[in-house]
Amino acid sequence: MTSMKRTTRTATTTIKAVLLTAAAVAGLALTTTPAQAANCSLGGGVYICEYGVTTQNLPNGTTQQFVVGTDSAVWTRWTSTSGSWSGWQSMGGRAASKIYIHDGRFPDGDPWTFWVLYHGSDGYAHENGRKHDGNWTGWRVVDDF
């Protein structure tokens, strides 16, 4: 009978230790997970508020905006010369930062060209260049910015 009590007490102690360890690990996981980002809306689209809206003014007076959507992709919209806004279009990517604009990365100095950059969820910096005709070079990893 004493052996049975000792075995039961050992099993109970082991179960308590396992539960305590599991609770500690769960608590650690909860404290290291970032808070859910708040969402904002603009022009019919939803984006991550923390990253804000990045705006680039173009030579003809039109404007292009960039946001990080709730899917972590970069989204853009722009005005026409009459001032009306396009719908949002995804540019893809996996951003984990606000969007940055860098003018002058193209060597020809064309005022219609610029780079859109972000820090990715993969830990790398990414850029996508706007060409004079409005097309894009496509996302690529860069050293940093």
Side-chain angles (χ1 to χ4, degrees), residues 52-133:
V53 179
T54 302
T55 301
Q56 176 70 8
N57 295 317
L58 298 170
N60 65 351
T62 60
T63 300
Q64 190 159 7
Q65 292 181 326
F66 303 88
V67 297
V68 177
T70 56
D71 60 355
S72 297
V74 176
W75 289 76
T76 187
R77 71 178 190 150
W78 54 91
T79 58
S80 66
T81 52
S82 68
S84 61
W85 284 98
S86 69
W88 287 103
Q89 290 190 1
S90 177
M91 296 178 69
R94 299 287 302 164
S97 74
K98 70 174 281 176
I99 303 302
Y100 299 89
I101 301 291
H102 190 285
D103 282 328
R105 293 283 299 266
F106 284 102
D108 61 8
D110 184 343
W112 289 93
T113 60
F114 57 90
W115 290 93
V116 174
L117 303 105
Y118 67 82
H119 288 103
S121 57
D122 60 2
Y124 294 101
H126 297 260
E127 69 180 5
N128 194 347
R130 184 188 187 279
K131 299 176 184 178
H132 181 86
D133 63 5

Side-chain angles (χ1 to χ4, degrees), residues 17-36:
V18 168
L19 290 174
L20 184 59
T21 302
V25 169
L28 178 62
L30 290 176
T31 59
T32 59
T33 303
Q36 183 66 19

